[in-house]
Structure formats: C-alpha cells, structure tokens
Amino acid sequence: MASFCILDEFEVHKNEEFLRIAEELKPELHETEIAPVRLLKLREDGSPEPEVISEEAAENLKAKCLKKDDKVILDFGNHHVGYVTLDLSSAGSHQDAPAYVYLKFTERLDELTADTASYNGWISKGWIQEEYLHVDVLPAKIELPRRYAFRYLEIKVLDVSLKFSLVVNAVTGKAVSAVQDEEVTAISTEDEILKQIDRVSTRTLKNCMQLVFEDGPKRDRRMWLGDLRLQARANYKTFHNTDMVKRCLYLFGGLTFNEGKIPACLFLEPEIEPDDTYLFDYALLYGSALLDYYRATKDMDTLKDLYPVAIRQIEIGLTYLNEENLIPDRSGEFWCFVDWGEGLNTQAASLAILIYSMRYGIRLAEYMEDAKTSQWLAEKMDVLKKSAVEHFWDEEQKLFVSGAGRQVSWATQVWMILARVFDKEKNRELILHTIEVNPRIRMVTPYMYHHYIDALIRSGEKERALDEMKRYWGEMIHDGADTFWELYNPYNKYESPYGSVAVNSFCHAWSCTPTYFLRKFYLEK
C-alpha cells in the first residue's frame, strides 16, 4: 500500500459564511419501514445459491426456537441503509443466563461465509458489520444504535443455557436517505439489462445520499471529492437534488487548508471537519464539479463564491511542475489516486488530469467573464499538452507511457484522451488501439471505468461505450449486485486494495454513473 500524503503542518482555514450556507442546506432524511422478506439457509455444498426456507419471513421467524449454535439468515429483499430493531423473547424454562447472540449484517450473500476473524488488512476491521450481544433479560426490544448498510442479516445464538431457547419474534427497521425512489422516472428502453443497470445505479446513488453525498454507507461513510463529482452528475439526471450538491461544494470550499488546498474528504461527526489527506487529482476536479453544478442550475451567486476556490486548486497544481513542465513521479504515495490498480504509475495521468482541470477552469473563467484568467490558462494548457506528447508519447507503441519504467496502462491512455492532448480522430485511434493491446495494468474500479466510458463517448465510440457498460456493470449484476461496488475487476473478482474483500464497500458512490451516461447520451430526446 502506498503511503498517505498527510501534511506535516495541518492548518484548517474556515470560511464561516460558506459553512453557514451549507448548514442551511442540510437535508431532512426520509424514513421507510423495512422488514425481512425471506428466511434463507446456506447450502452445505458451498453452492452460491441459498436454500429458501420461507417466503413468509415475518410469519415463520417466531416459530423457531434457537439453541446454542443455531442461526437464521434474513433476506431484506434489496440493499438498505438504516437502523434495525430486534424483538426477542424466550421459550422453555425461566431464563437463567444471558442469551449470547451474534449478528452479522452483509451487503452481499457471500460475505456471510467470509472468515472475518482472520482479517488483518490495513483498513480497520471495525468497519465489518458484526455485533455481539449479551441479553440479560427476555423479552427485550433492542434498538441497535449503529446505522448499517445491508441486505442480509445473520442471527446466531452463541450460547444459551440448557433450560431455554431464544425466540426472534420480529426484526424490523427503517431505511434512511435524503431522496426517495418515486422521485426518479424509469428509463424508456426495451433493453432489459439496461433497465437493470439503471435501477441498480439509482439505488446505489440513493443509498449514498445521506446528510451529504457519502462515498459508501458501510465504509467510509464520509464525503470524498472524487465521488461527489460523479454522484452529482448522476443526481442531475435522476433525483435533481441540486441543494445537496450546493451544500457539498460549499462544505469543501469552506474547509480548506495549507495555501488553500481542498482536502480529499470531509468527516461528518462529531462535527464536520477536513481530513488531513491531500489528493492532487481530487482537488483539481473541484472545478469540474462546480462547472457541472452551474450548468445544471445557472446559480451565478454560488459560482461567484466558489470560483476563486476552484481556480486556486489549479494554481496549486501548477506549482508542482518541474522545469520540463512535468509533474514529479510520486506513484509511491497516496497523492494522486487515479485508480486502485496494483503497481499503477500515475505520473502521466497526473499531468493529464491537470490539463483536464485547466480546460474546466477556462470554461469557469468564461462564465465569470474573467478574460485574463481564461487566456492565461489556455496558454499554459497548450504548453502542458506539448510537454505531455514530448515526454510520454511512445511513437513506436502508439501509446502513452508513464514513469521512469515507461509503464503502459489503461488509466494513462484514458486520461490523456480526456485531456484532449490529441484531436478527436487521433483520440479515437488511441482508444481503439488501447483496446486491441489491452495493457497489463488494467482498470479495477468503477471510478476508472467511468472515465473510460467517458473517453469512448468523447472519441465518437458511443455504441462501444454502451457495450462496455453492459459488459462491466452488467457482469456485476450477474454476480449478485443489488447496488454497485467500490471495486470490480472482472479478471480477479476477489481483488481488494485493503487485504480482504471483507472490508470492500458493495454500495459505493463512484459506481453509480451508468444512469448518468444512459440518460445524457442515449435516452434523452
């Protein structure tokens, strides 16, 4: 794992007016009653398909008297984010010892068989949704204090005395979100897989829309700038909750640090504060998110407020250039994210993202009628495009390379296309050649696949982009996705950057964008 880019001297600069505006936009969460719909049993032969014990979970659950090592698995029918209450009682003789109960909430069925006890990755195992309860007195109604992201719940009796059994009378809950399903109009298409992809995309987005746009409701439950940008794009085409986007932009703009840098993410509790991690690419993409918001709302007051923050990120980005107009190679650090791909060199991509952000900066300056900034950015952008070709284009391979080892990766090609270093026709040749070569350093996150789809569309390959969406996100659905995942590598479906899929997020914000692409580029009239 690369080291984090944590600043030695971390000084937060608060813009109280921006924070006041953000607080006034804090949403009310909608609550929806939920309950299990089926009782399941995992097959002893290891089959991925469970045995359905009962389609009437509520009616048949209370008929079970659970002794030591007995368990039940509840299926809530779809992915939910919310709170759960257990209604427990006993059967047999008087309860003469505490009931010792284990609970495991999972987003996917195969998480139920994961060996979480042996997990030793670098992300805290505190994110694993397990609880151990001692229930001293039965009957009892236990409102679990934590918020969970789940579809399945396993209840296992670790121990009771020989004299009594545990009875689960009912399990109820309330799902929470800032938006509601009925706010979204279904897409009009006869293609069933596209309908499924759109439904799963919007559910992913909905379950990540809480008090802010969270990256994942199981983990990390905070607001990352890279996720926010993609969530906002999907939101404009679905829930149309522009106030939440505005709130999040003001929060990032109101909590900068060290020379005006925007943090990679914000914590929400016990109060909103910035993380001490800086990501070069995330900070630069703030301007893209602001421009998208302005185009969706024509909110000039917000643009005027936050325009200096966006331009400042580009100014900071330019300070990292060396005398050759290159970004130094910092691929060994968690400094420029790009993708989770193992061994990915990010030097060339970081320069491409800087160029990409400058193009958005020019558009912002034009809306602000700031001709001086627009001209300065355009002139500097041309210099950086020439530098990118001079130092990273390999004429023999007809591909961009990155780093001292001249690595060829999918991510480098995609970002150079989005930066428009070449014209549209040459970009089309580049993306088709990349597909033919299939570089060994592949894309592994829906975040990077979003940019790949974007690059295909911008290169005039709309039908291929649609096929790739079906292949990638459709395969996730085939593998059981109710919401789209943080990481999905079709070549290694158990890949994790954290040491185990036990802490992977299976409802993750940056994976929701097929609904954006479908509605913007294919289905809008």
Side-chain angles (χ1 to χ4, degrees), residues 420-434:
R420 301 184 187 178
V421 172
F422 293 143
D423 62 28
K424 184 175 180 179
E425 183 53 36
K426 193 161 184 179
N427 277 340
R428 180 176 176 273
E429 294 173 4
L430 174 56
I431 197 67
L432 294 179
H433 183 53
T434 303

PDB file of all heavy atoms in Angstrom, residues 420-434:
ATOM      1  N   ARG A 420      -7.655  15.783 -23.932  1.00  0.00           N
ATOM      2  CA  ARG A 420      -7.667  16.260 -25.316  1.00  0.00           C
ATOM      3  C   ARG A 420      -6.283  16.724 -25.772  1.00  0.00           C
ATOM      4  O   ARG A 420      -6.125  17.765 -26.436  1.00  0.00           O
ATOM      5  CB  ARG A 420      -8.697  17.369 -25.518  1.00  0.00           C
ATOM      6  CG  ARG A 420     -10.112  16.932 -25.188  1.00  0.00           C
ATOM      7  CD  ARG A 420     -11.127  18.015 -25.493  1.00  0.00           C
ATOM      8  NE  ARG A 420     -12.451  17.629 -25.001  1.00  0.00           N
ATOM      9  CZ  ARG A 420     -13.536  18.395 -25.093  1.00  0.00           C
ATOM     10  NH1 ARG A 420     -13.450  19.597 -25.654  1.00  0.00           N
ATOM     11  NH2 ARG A 420     -14.694  17.980 -24.625  1.00  0.00           N
ATOM     12  N   VAL A 421      -5.291  15.933 -25.399  1.00  0.00           N
ATOM     13  CA  VAL A 421      -3.929  16.211 -25.855  1.00  0.00           C
ATOM     14  C   VAL A 421      -3.864  16.072 -27.373  1.00  0.00           C
ATOM     15  O   VAL A 421      -3.128  16.811 -28.046  1.00  0.00           O
ATOM     16  CB  VAL A 421      -2.934  15.265 -25.148  1.00  0.00           C
ATOM     17  CG1 VAL A 421      -1.543  15.386 -25.746  1.00  0.00           C
ATOM     18  CG2 VAL A 421      -2.890  15.562 -23.653  1.00  0.00           C
ATOM     19  N   PHE A 422      -4.636  15.117 -27.921  1.00  0.00           N
ATOM     20  CA  PHE A 422      -4.764  14.963 -29.371  1.00  0.00           C
ATOM     21  C   PHE A 422      -6.163  15.410 -29.798  1.00  0.00           C
ATOM     22  O   PHE A 422      -7.045  15.626 -28.966  1.00  0.00           O
ATOM     23  CB  PHE A 422      -4.560  13.505 -29.777  1.00  0.00           C
ATOM     24  CG  PHE A 422      -3.172  12.977 -29.577  1.00  0.00           C
ATOM     25  CD1 PHE A 422      -2.962  11.668 -29.152  1.00  0.00           C
ATOM     26  CD2 PHE A 422      -2.054  13.767 -29.822  1.00  0.00           C
ATOM     27  CE1 PHE A 422      -1.679  11.164 -28.978  1.00  0.00           C
ATOM     28  CE2 PHE A 422      -0.769  13.282 -29.648  1.00  0.00           C
ATOM     29  CZ  PHE A 422      -0.590  11.975 -29.225  1.00  0.00           C
ATOM     30  N   ASP A 423      -6.367  15.489 -31.111  1.00  0.00           N
ATOM     31  CA  ASP A 423      -7.697  15.810 -31.608  1.00  0.00           C
ATOM     32  C   ASP A 423      -8.602  14.573 -31.519  1.00  0.00           C
ATOM     33  O   ASP A 423      -8.148  13.474 -31.182  1.00  0.00           O
ATOM     34  CB  ASP A 423      -7.635  16.362 -33.031  1.00  0.00           C
ATOM     35  CG  ASP A 423      -7.053  15.366 -34.043  1.00  0.00           C
ATOM     36  OD1 ASP A 423      -7.175  14.133 -33.844  1.00  0.00           O
ATOM     37  OD2 ASP A 423      -6.466  15.822 -35.044  1.00  0.00           O
ATOM     38  N   LYS A 424      -9.880  14.765 -31.845  1.00  0.00           N
ATOM     39  CA  LYS A 424     -10.869  13.700 -31.641  1.00  0.00           C
ATOM     40  C   LYS A 424     -10.546  12.448 -32.444  1.00  0.00           C
ATOM     41  O   LYS A 424     -10.656  11.320 -31.935  1.00  0.00           O
ATOM     42  CB  LYS A 424     -12.262  14.218 -31.994  1.00  0.00           C
ATOM     43  CG  LYS A 424     -13.372  13.202 -31.731  1.00  0.00           C
ATOM     44  CD  LYS A 424     -14.741  13.812 -31.975  1.00  0.00           C
ATOM     45  CE  LYS A 424     -15.853  12.813 -31.709  1.00  0.00           C
ATOM     46  NZ  LYS A 424     -17.202  13.405 -31.913  1.00  0.00           N
ATOM     47  N   GLU A 425     -10.134  12.589 -33.695  1.00  0.00           N
ATOM     48  CA  GLU A 425      -9.866  11.420 -34.526  1.00  0.00           C
ATOM     49  C   GLU A 425      -8.665  10.637 -34.018  1.00  0.00           C
ATOM     50  O   GLU A 425      -8.677   9.401 -33.975  1.00  0.00           O
ATOM     51  CB  GLU A 425      -9.640  11.834 -35.984  1.00  0.00           C
ATOM     52  CG  GLU A 425      -9.415  10.656 -36.927  1.00  0.00           C
ATOM     53  CD  GLU A 425     -10.505   9.586 -36.841  1.00  0.00           C
ATOM     54  OE1 GLU A 425     -11.696   9.922 -36.656  1.00  0.00           O
ATOM     55  OE2 GLU A 425     -10.158   8.382 -36.953  1.00  0.00           O
ATOM     56  N   LYS A 426      -7.610  11.356 -33.595  1.00  0.00           N
ATOM     57  CA  LYS A 426      -6.450  10.630 -33.074  1.00  0.00           C
ATOM     58  C   LYS A 426      -6.765  10.014 -31.714  1.00  0.00           C
ATOM     59  O   LYS A 426      -6.242   8.946 -31.378  1.00  0.00           O
ATOM     60  CB  LYS A 426      -5.239  11.571 -32.969  1.00  0.00           C
ATOM     61  CG  LYS A 426      -3.929  10.818 -32.737  1.00  0.00           C
ATOM     62  CD  LYS A 426      -2.711  11.619 -33.083  1.00  0.00           C
ATOM     63  CE  LYS A 426      -1.445  10.785 -32.928  1.00  0.00           C
ATOM     64  NZ  LYS A 426      -0.215  11.534 -33.285  1.00  0.00           N
ATOM     65  N   ASN A 427      -7.622  10.670 -30.937  1.00  0.00           N
ATOM     66  CA  ASN A 427      -8.064  10.059 -29.683  1.00  0.00           C
ATOM     67  C   ASN A 427      -8.825   8.764 -29.948  1.00  0.00           C
ATOM     68  O   ASN A 427      -8.679   7.782 -29.220  1.00  0.00           O
ATOM     69  CB  ASN A 427      -8.960  11.033 -28.918  1.00  0.00           C
ATOM     70  CG  ASN A 427      -8.169  12.031 -28.101  1.00  0.00           C
ATOM     71  OD1 ASN A 427      -6.996  11.813 -27.797  1.00  0.00           O
ATOM     72  ND2 ASN A 427      -8.801  13.135 -27.754  1.00  0.00           N
ATOM     73  N   ARG A 428      -9.642   8.768 -30.996  1.00  0.00           N
ATOM     74  CA  ARG A 428     -10.375   7.553 -31.353  1.00  0.00           C
ATOM     75  C   ARG A 428      -9.403   6.438 -31.721  1.00  0.00           C
ATOM     76  O   ARG A 428      -9.561   5.286 -31.298  1.00  0.00           O
ATOM     77  CB  ARG A 428     -11.323   7.840 -32.517  1.00  0.00           C
ATOM     78  CG  ARG A 428     -12.137   6.637 -32.965  1.00  0.00           C
ATOM     79  CD  ARG A 428     -13.134   7.030 -34.054  1.00  0.00           C
ATOM     80  NE  ARG A 428     -13.834   5.853 -34.539  1.00  0.00           N
ATOM     81  CZ  ARG A 428     -13.377   5.068 -35.511  1.00  0.00           C
ATOM     82  NH1 ARG A 428     -12.226   5.366 -36.107  1.00  0.00           N
ATOM     83  NH2 ARG A 428     -14.068   3.999 -35.898  1.00  0.00           N
ATOM     84  N   GLU A 429      -8.403   6.758 -32.496  1.00  0.00           N
ATOM     85  CA  GLU A 429      -7.384   5.755 -32.845  1.00  0.00           C
ATOM     86  C   GLU A 429      -6.691   5.226 -31.600  1.00  0.00           C
ATOM     87  O   GLU A 429      -6.422   4.025 -31.484  1.00  0.00           O
ATOM     88  CB  GLU A 429      -6.354   6.377 -33.799  1.00  0.00           C
ATOM     89  CG  GLU A 429      -6.911   6.748 -35.163  1.00  0.00           C
ATOM     90  CD  GLU A 429      -5.898   7.508 -36.005  1.00  0.00           C
ATOM     91  OE1 GLU A 429      -4.736   7.671 -35.545  1.00  0.00           O
ATOM     92  OE2 GLU A 429      -6.266   7.956 -37.108  1.00  0.00           O
ATOM     93  N   LEU A 430      -6.416   6.135 -30.661  1.00  0.00           N
ATOM     94  CA  LEU A 430      -5.718   5.743 -29.444  1.00  0.00           C
ATOM     95  C   LEU A 430      -6.567   4.797 -28.594  1.00  0.00           C
ATOM     96  O   LEU A 430      -6.063   3.767 -28.110  1.00  0.00           O
ATOM     97  CB  LEU A 430      -5.334   6.984 -28.632  1.00  0.00           C
ATOM     98  CG  LEU A 430      -4.716   6.734 -27.248  1.00  0.00           C
ATOM     99  CD1 LEU A 430      -3.482   5.846 -27.335  1.00  0.00           C
ATOM    100  CD2 LEU A 430      -4.377   8.067 -26.569  1.00  0.00           C
ATOM    101  N   ILE A 431      -7.856   5.102 -28.406  1.00  0.00           N
ATOM    102  CA  ILE A 431      -8.674   4.252 -27.547  1.00  0.00           C
ATOM    103  C   ILE A 431      -8.891   2.886 -28.188  1.00  0.00           C
ATOM    104  O   ILE A 431      -8.878   1.850 -27.517  1.00  0.00           O
ATOM    105  CB  ILE A 431     -10.015   4.938 -27.186  1.00  0.00           C
ATOM    106  CG1 ILE A 431     -10.665   4.242 -25.984  1.00  0.00           C
ATOM    107  CG2 ILE A 431     -10.976   4.955 -28.356  1.00  0.00           C
ATOM    108  CD1 ILE A 431      -9.913   4.382 -24.694  1.00  0.00           C
ATOM    109  N   LEU A 432      -9.048   2.851 -29.512  1.00  0.00           N
ATOM    110  CA  LEU A 432      -9.223   1.564 -30.196  1.00  0.00           C
ATOM    111  C   LEU A 432      -7.936   0.740 -30.148  1.00  0.00           C
ATOM    112  O   LEU A 432      -7.982  -0.489 -29.971  1.00  0.00           O
ATOM    113  CB  LEU A 432      -9.657   1.790 -31.642  1.00  0.00           C
ATOM    114  CG  LEU A 432     -11.048   2.418 -31.827  1.00  0.00           C
ATOM    115  CD1 LEU A 432     -11.352   2.613 -33.316  1.00  0.00           C
ATOM    116  CD2 LEU A 432     -12.129   1.578 -31.166  1.00  0.00           C
ATOM    117  N   HIS A 433      -6.804   1.400 -30.262  1.00  0.00           N
ATOM    118  CA  HIS A 433      -5.520   0.695 -30.167  1.00  0.00           C
ATOM    119  C   HIS A 433      -5.300   0.173 -28.744  1.00  0.00           C
ATOM    120  O   HIS A 433      -4.776  -0.938 -28.565  1.00  0.00           O
ATOM    121  CB  HIS A 433      -4.389   1.638 -30.579  1.00  0.00           C
ATOM    122  CG  HIS A 433      -3.037   0.991 -30.595  1.00  0.00           C
ATOM    123  ND1 HIS A 433      -2.757  -0.170 -31.289  1.00  0.00           N
ATOM    124  CD2 HIS A 433      -1.866   1.352 -29.978  1.00  0.00           C
ATOM    125  CE1 HIS A 433      -1.492  -0.500 -31.111  1.00  0.00           C
ATOM    126  NE2 HIS A 433      -0.929   0.401 -30.322  1.00  0.00           N
ATOM    127  N   THR A 434      -5.709   0.951 -27.754  1.00  0.00           N
ATOM    128  CA  THR A 434      -5.591   0.508 -26.355  1.00  0.00           C
ATOM    129  C   THR A 434      -6.416  -0.751 -26.123  1.00  0.00           C
ATOM    130  O   THR A 434      -5.953  -1.703 -25.471  1.00  0.00           O
ATOM    131  CB  THR A 434      -6.053   1.620 -25.399  1.00  0.00           C
ATOM    132  OG1 THR A 434      -5.297   2.805 -25.633  1.00  0.00           O
ATOM    133  CG2 THR A 434      -5.883   1.192 -23.951  1.00  0.00           C
TER     134      THR A 434
END
